[in-house]
Amino acid sequence: MDALRAQDPPRIGDYVLLARIGAGGMGVVYLGRSPGGRLVAVKVVREEITGHPEALARFRREAATVRAVRSAYTANLIDAGLDAAPYWIATEYVAGPTLARAVRERGPFPVVTCRRLIAAMAEGLASVHAYGVTHRDLKPQNVLLGSQGPQLIDFGIARGVEQTALTQDGQAPGTPGFTAPEVLTRNEVGAAADVFALGATVAYAATGRAPFGGGDAAAVSYRAVHEEIDTDGVEPGLAALIRACVEKDPARRPGPAELIRWCAVDTALVDDPAYQPLVAMADVVPDTPQRPPNAPVLAIHDLPTQGPPPSPPPPPSRPNPWLVAAGVGAVLGIAVAVWLLPGSGDGGNGGEGGGKSEGPPEYIQDIGTSRHAWNGLRESCNLPGEEQPPLQFQYAVTTGENDPSGEIPLGKAEIGYRLKNEEPNLPPYYVSVEVKPPHLLDTDDFGYVSKAADLYEGDETRWKNLVYPDDFSDRVGGKVRPAPPLADDPGEWTVVYHHATSDKNHRSVVCHGFMADDVSE
């Protein structure tokens, strides 16, 4: 739970906002308090996508789904504002960590706890399916470990079982590694797909590892379709249960009721001695709104898990279809969610020599591929990235001239990146940022680069921030030259994020930019 930011409203509807629970899907989720003192989770659609009919339809569908499904395993709808912006829904607040956080911080669950988890989640799915709804994005991040048992959250892409799996832009719903083969290959969504996701989720709880390994979305989804789930080291009986849930043929998977019988639990999950300490990991609820005087400056625009909404007019279509820019010369925030099987190209392999790291690079060097150029008028780059970024990679740029907090000095820019959600146990993924001044935009010359850093090191959901020009330099021929101030070259600056496996082996994954005004510090 994070403090409110400068741009966050003090209240939504009748609810006073106390803190940020998180950002995801189509908006921000806040902790709110009703006039009578009841705590609620308030999900608010981001202003910049309220003009998209499809995004609003999805949000209204989520509200209708939560309203219809009244279950002990879901947070019930309390209130909603769906007639005019800002659009929001308020649900019961569930105090407790996500399953993903619990495993990341406390390690894999014991065998008996996993069996009780299967039984409880299967009972929850049975309750949801009884309303004719499939969740479609069950995963460790969407399971809250509450005092009354596990709660299923984020019904943003849930639909009736008779509806198609594909979104309008052709993307399959769900998350790679938890999405069933029939959804990926035949666009079939049904109750059995939720059972597959349950099995993958429990495999993560039992091992602490991604159920079908790490890497880019295409590789993970390929393994989910063609290879076996990772149950190495899991007790044989539990491993058999997990494998039954993730059978490639949905007809061979057990239903929720059968799973409950197989588990044959005699004690509720909430009474499990390993579960009770996890509930205590819940964030401390503030009594008053938490809004520090020096609020963070980055405004991040998350996209739905089924893919980004169509770009708003008037900007023309961009050459890179999975980027949405927040604006020119303002606080720039872009979130990228890659859920597709992108094809058989070489994206994600880390460049020549394959995807295996050759050791942590220090600073990447010019290899004759720096051709990116950002056009501020069109808010786009002349070239897309050479490979796809990791799942849910986000980045943002804020200049001192457009910093609402005033923390960034004039003539400087803060450049950050992170993952929106945790992706546990992945190999190192080194990111180096290149900044090109306007006078290099029509050339292939390399820009000024930052030291490479592992995207997955530390708390990967936290931002890794760099300051230009302080953290950037030119390194050619063994000589180091500091990066020039922005004021030396006003205009359209290009920012390129590189995946580096060595100093001379790197590929661009994201290109964007920012406007630098003619000012001095």
Side-chain angles (χ1 to χ4, degrees), residues 134-434:
T134 54
H135 189 285
R136 305 205 315 166
D137 198 20
L138 179 61
K139 57 185 177 181
Q141 292 91 339
N142 283 343
V143 178
L144 284 175
L145 304 182
S147 59
Q148 302 302 312
Q151 299 279 304
L152 305 179
I153 62 171
D154 196 354
F155 283 82
I157 60 174
R159 291 195 179 189
V161 296
E162 77 283 353
Q163 293 175 287
T164 178
L166 287 181
T167 61
Q168 186 173 13
D169 58 5
Q171 299 189 17
T175 301
F178 300 90
T179 303
E182 67 272 17
V183 179
L184 295 167
T185 60
R186 301 190 299 275
N187 309 325
E188 294 178 2
V189 167
D194 281 347
V195 172
F196 181 96
L198 184 154
T201 298
V202 175
Y204 170 76
T207 66
R209 300 186 296 268
F212 289 95
D216 63 75
V220 174
S221 293
Y222 178 89
R223 290 193 289 269
V225 173
H226 299 286
E227 299 179 8
E228 295 301 315
I229 195 169
D230 177 8
T231 55
D232 289 350
V234 178
E235 185 270 332
L238 177 61
L241 265 175
I242 292 171
R243 288 195 295 269
C245 290
V246 298
E247 282 278 358
K248 306 303 183 187
D249 181 358
R252 299 184 61 183
R253 295 174 203 148
E258 187 177 0
L259 277 176
I260 294 171
R261 289 195 298 271
W262 281 9
C263 291
V265 298
D266 56 2
T267 303
L269 179 62
V270 294
D271 295 324
D272 187 294
Y275 182 84
Q276 293 172 346
L278 302 179
V279 178
M281 294 171 61
D283 292 322
V284 176
V285 175
D287 295 326
T288 58
Q290 302 298 294
R291 194 186 301 271
N294 296 322
V297 301
L298 296 176
I300 303 307
H301 304 272
D302 296 291
L303 305 181
T305 51
Q306 76 234 45
S311 302
S317 60
R318 294 146 170 77
N320 193 343
W322 37 263
L323 295 182
V324 177
V328 180
V331 180
L332 300 176
I334 300 88
V336 179
V338 182
W339 307 110
L340 287 175
L341 291 170
S344 58
D346 62 353
N349 68 357
E352 299 177 9
K356 186 176 180 180
S357 175
E358 302 169 17
E362 279 282 316
Y363 292 90
I364 60 175
Q365 299 181 21
D366 187 1
I367 55 176
T369 60
S370 183
R371 303 183 181 92
H372 295 283
W374 184 68
N375 186 315
L377 294 178
R378 290 177 30 243
E379 297 184 55
S380 63
C381 287
N382 63 331
L383 293 175
E386 296 169 294
E387 68 175 60
Q388 289 187 350
L391 187 67
Q392 302 191 50
F393 180 81
Q394 294 181 322
Y395 60 96
V397 181
T398 306
T399 64
E401 291 72 37
N402 297 292
D403 172 20
S405 73
E407 293 182 345
I408 303 175
L410 294 178
K412 296 191 177 185
E414 187 172 79
I415 301 169
Y417 60 93
R418 72 160 186 176
L419 295 181
K420 186 179 75 172
N421 293 315
E422 59 269 23
E423 294 186 30
N425 302 308
L426 294 182
Y429 186 101
Y430 294 102
V431 174
S432 180
V433 181
E434 174 195 4

